[in-house]
Amino acid sequence: MIVTFASMKGGVGKTTLAAMFAKYIAQADNKEVVVVDVDPQQGATMLLLGSGRSLRDGGTTLADVLAREQAGRVPVDALVGSLRTSPIVSGVSVMPA
């Protein structure tokens, strides 16, 4: 299942809704959930990984993967390698923007 929360307007709760929906699906349905944070502000990343954690801690981000693979297809292993397991919500992994 792929679920997207999108709106051109800012401040409508997309990030909070996406993070809380991921938490609900992971906990209530006992599913593994991947949140792909494409917002450069990385709000979902901070909510799910912890705001005190450095987002540039040497880990690969979605932007890194896409910049490196501009000319061709993005290999799945590069995307999977950028996933970080949430220490806050069991069953949720995050791909930082």
Side-chain angles (χ1 to χ4, degrees), residues 34 60 65 74-85 93-95:
V34 173
T60 305
V65 172
V74 177
V76 172
D77 59 334
L79 292 172
V80 172
S82 70
L83 292 177
R84 300 182 195 174
T85 303
S93 295
V94 180
M95 182 181 299

Side-chain angles (χ1 to χ4, degrees), residues 34-53:
V34 173
V35 174
V36 180
D37 189 358
V38 296
D39 185 346
Q41 294 178 359
Q42 297 185 330
T45 300
M46 289 188 288
L47 280 172
L48 294 168
L49 295 182
S51 60
R53 206 164 153 187

Side-chain angles (χ1 to χ4, degrees), residues 7-51:
S7 175
M8 293 301 292
K9 183 170 180 349
V12 296
K14 298 177 296 286
T15 297
T16 303
L17 183 60
M20 294 304 105
F21 186 74
K23 178 181 178 180
Y24 174 79
I25 294 297
Q27 293 178 344
D29 292 348
N30 199 29
K31 303 276 186 188
E32 292 291 320
V33 178
V34 173
V35 174
V36 180
D37 189 358
V38 296
D39 185 346
Q41 294 178 359
Q42 297 185 330
T45 300
M46 289 188 288
L47 280 172
L48 294 168
L49 295 182
S51 60

Side-chain angles (χ1 to χ4, degrees), residues 55-56 58-69 82 84 96-97:
L55 301 179
R56 301 301 269 163
T60 305
T61 66
L62 179 60
D64 296 332
V65 172
L66 296 177
R68 193 173 58 229
E69 302 297 333
S82 70
R84 300 182 195 174

